[in-house]
Amino acid sequence: MTKTAEIATPISEASANGHEMRVLLAEDTPISAEAMKAMALHCSVELDIAHNGLQAIEMVVNAKAKGRPYSLLLIDVMMPILDGVEATKRLRAKGFDAKQLPIVAVTAASSFDEVRSYRASGMQAFLEKPVAMADFKATLEAWGHGDKGTKTHPDPKIDPVVLASLTKQFTDRNLRTLELIETALGSETITSSAENEIRNLLHQIAGTAATFGDAELSQAARTHEYALIGSGDDQEALRLNLGDAARTLRRRQL
């Protein structure tokens, strides 16, 4: 069973304008973006990348104006500047309906209430992180439209130099997260800005760790992220949950 889930009826007919399948990915984490770019290459699909929701809106509008509209928007739910839900609402308000531009959430958050919020914003489905090749291909087949289908090539490869750079970024981000947690725990009061920064970093780790063969860390980071959300303003709970997250990250450094 794939992790792709529908939250509306799939669009099966091809683009009326006869355009090739062009996909836009809105993703602020380079590791996730590079991995999905390799998957797109594997499927012979053109994929562009936006780094936040505001940039995604601009690229969608410009692509249509140039006569080369996107067939599908894959959008991360949590991004800086403008998140995926708000970006979807704005695109729908601009007249990009579900038939013209299907939108699929890319997220590690897939509870009933969260999925309901995606549907309410105008999204058609969600793709759970970490994204597997089979799930990515199934999403293109269910929601992408255009004259060119998803022709599969041999195993998708990320350039070794790029992979080495992304691996270093992944390791550095884990270390930075641990350092921020230790700084927060050493302070008299854990500020909301510090908590939010740590939570966002844990969210990114949850979405990318499995890409580097550490599914256990991916699940643990997701658990810690949700625990912080549940802590609210309770300083004692925040310290307890941050301590748990720190122990998880320290074990990865041994």
Side-chain angles (χ1 to χ4, degrees):
M1 181 182 296
T2 68
K3 295 180 182 176
T4 308
E6 297 173 9
I7 51 179
T9 305
I11 299 166
S12 58
E13 62 186 86
S15 168
N17 295 326
H19 293 290
E20 73 273 23
M21 188 185 295
R22 299 184 66 229
V23 178
L24 176 61
L25 169 66
E27 170 64 69
D28 67 307
T29 306
I31 296 168
S32 295
E34 191 64 34
M36 292 181 71
K37 194 171 183 179
M39 292 180 194
L41 180 63
H42 177 69
C43 295
S44 294
V45 170
E46 181 180 348
L47 182 140
D48 294 332
I49 297 173
H51 301 294
N52 57 67
L54 203 59
Q55 186 179 28
I57 293 173
E58 181 181 355
M59 291 175 71
V60 166
V61 171
N62 288 343
K64 181 181 179 182
K66 293 177 181 177
R68 297 190 69 230
Y70 288 108
S71 312
L72 172 67
L73 171 59
L74 304 174
I75 190 163
D76 187 17
V77 174
M78 288 184 64
M79 290 184 292
I81 303 179
L82 190 69
D83 65 35
V85 170
E86 182 59 31
T88 298
K89 290 178 180 177
R90 294 189 189 186
L91 282 168
R92 295 304 185 221
K94 287 179 178 292
F96 291 91
D97 60 25
K99 181 176 180 180
Q100 181 179 169
L101 181 69
I103 301 178
V104 174
V106 183
T107 178
S110 56
S111 70
F112 176 78
D113 287 341
E114 287 160 336
V115 171
R116 184 167 57 183
S117 73
Y118 306 154
R119 174 72 180 273
S121 73
M123 295 177 181
Q124 280 61 65
F126 71 91
L127 185 58
E128 188 173 353
K129 287 184 174 182
V131 179
M133 182 67 226
D135 301 335
F136 182 81
K137 189 170 185 293
T139 297
L140 295 183
E141 292 174 345
W143 299 101
H145 55 72
D147 293 336
K148 297 180 181 178
T150 56
K151 179 181 178 182
T152 303
H153 289 300
D155 295 339
K157 301 291 184 183
I158 297 178
D159 182 277
V161 175
V162 174
L163 179 59
S165 174
L166 293 176
T167 301
K168 185 177 185 306
Q169 288 181 43
F170 174 71
T171 302
D172 289 347
R173 184 172 58 200
N174 291 353
L175 287 171
R176 172 166 170 70
T177 305
L178 178 56
E179 290 170 357
L180 287 174
I181 291 174
E182 291 175 338
T183 298
L185 289 173
S187 62
E188 185 175 342
T189 301
I190 300 172
T191 64
S192 58
S193 60
E195 178 200 349
N196 288 336
E197 185 175 7
I198 292 167
R199 181 159 48 82
N200 287 336
L201 286 168
L202 287 171
H203 178 79
Q204 292 183 29
I205 292 171
T208 57
T211 303
F212 294 90
D214 198 340
E216 183 181 347
L217 176 58
S218 177
Q219 184 57 53
R222 189 174 306 173
T223 299
H224 296 317
E225 177 196 357
Y226 290 164
L228 287 179
I229 293 173
S231 297
D233 296 325
D234 187 331
Q235 288 285 312
E236 184 177 348
L238 280 174
R239 290 185 183 280
L240 178 64
N241 290 321
L242 284 174
D244 288 342
R247 282 188 286 275
T248 294
L249 291 170
R250 284 194 200 101
R251 284 196 296 270
R252 289 309 186 280
Q253 310 308 317
L254 299 177

